[in-house]
Amino acid sequence: MPDSPAPTRVLVLNSGSSSLKYQLLDMRDHRRLAQGLVERIGERTSTLSHTSLVGTEPAKREREGRIADHEEALNAVSEELSADGLGTDSPELAAVGHRVVHGGKLFSRPTLVDDAVEREIERLIPVAPLHNPANLTGIRTARSLRPDLPQVAVFDTAFHTTMPESASRYAMDIATADEHRIRRYGAHGTSHAYVSREAAKLLGRAEEDVNVIVLHLGNGASAAAVRGGRCVDTSMGLTPLEGLVMGTRSGDIDPAVVFHLVRNAGMSPEDVDVLLNKKSGLLGLCGDNDMREIIRRTGEGDESARLAFEIYIHRLKKYIGAYTAVLGRVDAVVFTAGVGENAAPVREAAIAGLEEMGLALDGDLNAVRADRARLISPEYARVAVAVVPTDEELEIATQTYALVSGVDDTSSATRADN
Ligand code: AMP
């Protein structure tokens, strides 16, 4: 009997508290074979929206009906995949890659999950109470469905574990900080890793030789200073609340605001948590967290939308300046995620006035809408400005496949065109 070929497919799972996002990729050419989303798990009506990408045209299927828990959700996903001949029982499936939000100080690389790794992810729940429990449920469910299959945890914090202590420590009592694991862990690391590597490719240079500032501007937003492929600073901290102005999060704020609200406004710590995470940022300033709306309203002369935009840009400029100082030499400033990839006015306003720092934009290039990596700075600019679409699922699949197959193909992991 001839040996069967090595499996090349990776299923990427991103489990939220009531959702399960998934993609199936073939790592020979990074082609997406299927993708989908289960929403409202545990509620009365759940939905599963599945898109098969194996035919000539994408084929979308929807189902509605109660899906009680993540186990049922993964079984439903498995059935949908089987209907396309891509089932989780297929021998072509090499591994499952799981997005895990918090890996603490310990996990600096993608990690094969065993019981000890599960326990460590569980131990980190106090620093990631919203995400790690759901990620763990996804891992446990997938392990029970295919116990024989390698399950790999890819941590959102891993890319930031290279930060020096000077950037990752808060200037607070060191014993208290250590006892409660208080330090700056960052987030969006999978995106920052992928985008900084793609930016080096776009510049035609080796990742080790390039210093970049990545601006991941989605509903959540963070900046990273990356020197030679290694993160040296990032704007999110113990939690994703620190740093840039976001859709609903305040970003940087004087911590005394919290004491003030608790002492003087009759708010509980939970109330302040909700205020700063869910009711602040762009939403808190002007009632909208969608940058499209804010740009539209600003165009119509809406004052609160204009103020929200200006505060957002002011914070962004401060981080570009700070990270230029941290890096010493910057080769590129790179925009990514929903706002960064699509909002030309945000890119224009963020770079405006930074000519003395070697930064400039080409207005025509900035106005182009495209979903490929591209430069938007003029040739004469000392620092390149780029837009690089992020692809966290591909990065998770690539890291997962590299671990289980022993083939590190990150240098060729650029996404396929589907
Ligand atoms: P993400 O979290 O990366 O999915 O980004 C989501 C955010 O991207 C949305 O809340 C919008 O504010 C923003 N966004 C998406 N498309 C556009 C666009 N064309 N112009 C401005 N903002 C956009």
Side-chain angles (χ1 to χ4, degrees):
M1 280 263 289
D3 285 345
S4 50
T8 56
R9 290 179 191 158
V10 173
L11 177 64
V12 176
L13 295 183
N14 183 352
S15 311
S17 54
S18 64
S19 68
L20 177 66
K21 256 203 240 175
Y22 61 95
Q23 281 194 10
L24 182 69
L25 293 99
D26 189 328
M27 298 316 289
R28 282 173 300 190
D29 53 6
H30 305 139
R31 205 160 63 90
R32 253 153 269 251
L33 304 172
Q35 62 190 31
L37 171 66
V38 189
E39 285 178 291
R40 295 191 295 279
I41 298 172
E43 293 179 27
R44 207 158 352 144
T45 14
S46 320
T47 53
L48 192 169
S49 139
H50 175 90
T51 305
S52 163
L53 300 163
V54 283
T56 44
E57 293 288 324
K60 196 166 176 176
R61 297 193 291 271
E62 307 256 359
R63 339 179 168 172
E64 267 197 17
R66 183 170 150 79
I67 294 180
D69 53 27
H70 280 75
E71 189 172 344
E72 270 188 32
L74 192 56
N75 280 327
V77 169
S78 209
E79 281 168 24
E80 290 297 336
L81 290 169
S82 294
D84 300 323
L86 303 166
T88 48
D89 53 354
S90 163
E92 290 177 70
L93 188 58
V96 182
H98 297 268
R99 175 176 188 235
V100 181
V101 164
H102 217 304
K105 253 176 95 171
L106 187 68
F107 294 112
S108 58
R109 321 205 109 257
T111 304
L112 211 51
V113 178
D114 57 17
D115 294 346
V117 170
E118 270 191 19
R119 278 195 298 277
E120 190 54 30
I121 296 171
E122 192 163 21
R123 227 161 64 83
L124 287 162
I125 286 175
V127 282
L130 295 180
H131 296 106
N132 272 32
N135 301 158
L136 201 53
T137 305
I139 289 175
R140 287 184 171 140
T141 309
R143 282 185 84 194
S144 66
L145 187 75
R146 278 290 306 268
D148 57 315
L149 202 63
Q151 310 275 336
V152 177
V154 177
F155 298 93
D156 233 15
T157 45
F159 186 61
H160 304 306
T161 55
T162 52
M163 282 199 290
E165 289 279 283
S166 52
S168 59
R169 277 212 178 263
Y170 291 109
M172 62 180 284
D173 173 67
I174 208 153
T176 308
D178 286 349
E179 187 186 342
H180 297 283
R181 300 189 187 205
I182 296 171
R183 57 191 294 116
R184 309 190 55 255
Y185 295 102
H188 291 149
T190 310
S191 174
H192 287 296
Y194 176 81
V195 170
S196 54
R197 190 168 350 96
E198 289 302 301
K201 283 186 210 165
L202 187 66
L203 298 178
R205 294 170 60 183
E207 194 183 9
E208 303 75 54
D209 300 336
V210 175
N211 293 351
V212 297
I213 297 173
V214 179
L215 303 169
H216 177 114
L217 310 179
N219 198 29
S222 67
V226 184
R227 176 181 291 132
R230 291 166 70 83
C231 179
V232 292
D233 204 354
T234 195
S235 60
M236 284 177 167
L238 173 72
T239 75
L241 183 55
E242 193 180 339
L244 299 174
V245 176
M246 310 180 211
T248 65
R249 295 189 195 116
S250 63
D252 294 336
I253 202 163
D254 182 344
V257 169
V258 180
F259 322 139
H260 183 80
L261 289 171
V262 170
R263 288 184 191 132
N264 301 310
M267 293 176 79
S268 67
E270 287 69 32
D271 294 337
V272 184
D273 191 333
V274 171
L275 179 81
L276 296 180
N277 274 296
K278 302 252 165 76
K279 298 182 181 170
S280 295
L282 295 171
L283 181 72
L285 287 165
C286 75
D288 261 314
N289 64 332
D290 191 322
M291 187 55 83
R292 280 167 289 210
E293 273 305 295
I294 290 165
I295 292 169
R296 188 189 62 72
R297 283 172 53 189
T298 305
E300 290 174 352
D302 183 317
E303 274 306 303
S304 66
R306 186 187 56 79
L307 180 63
F309 187 84
E310 283 178 2
I311 295 171
Y312 185 95
I313 297 296
H314 179 75
R315 188 81 51 86
L316 211 46
K317 276 188 196 296
K318 287 214 296 200
Y319 272 91
I320 295 171
Y323 287 176
T324 300
V326 166
L327 290 168
R329 187 202 81 224
V330 181
D331 298 296
V333 171
V334 191
F335 289 88
T336 193
V339 175
E341 290 168 29
N342 297 298
V346 168
R347 298 191 297 254
E348 185 186 337
I351 300 300
L354 304 184
E355 294 78 11
E356 289 291 326
M357 289 164 57
L359 283 156
L361 272 196
D362 177 312
D364 292 337
L365 292 177
N366 187 39
V368 171
R369 291 191 64 97
D371 60 4
R372 59 184 157 72
R374 59 202 186 272
L375 291 174
I376 55 171
S377 45
E379 259 175 46
Y380 66 78
R382 191 154 41 81
V383 180
V385 183
V387 178
V388 174
T390 192
D391 196 334
E392 288 167 277
E393 287 78 14
L394 173 58
E395 182 67 20
I396 292 170
T398 304
Q399 292 191 18
T400 297
Y401 191 62
L403 185 70
V404 300
S405 68
V407 180
D408 181 357
D409 73 345
T410 44
S411 62
S412 65
T414 310
R415 63 166 151 190
D417 276 339
N418 68 3

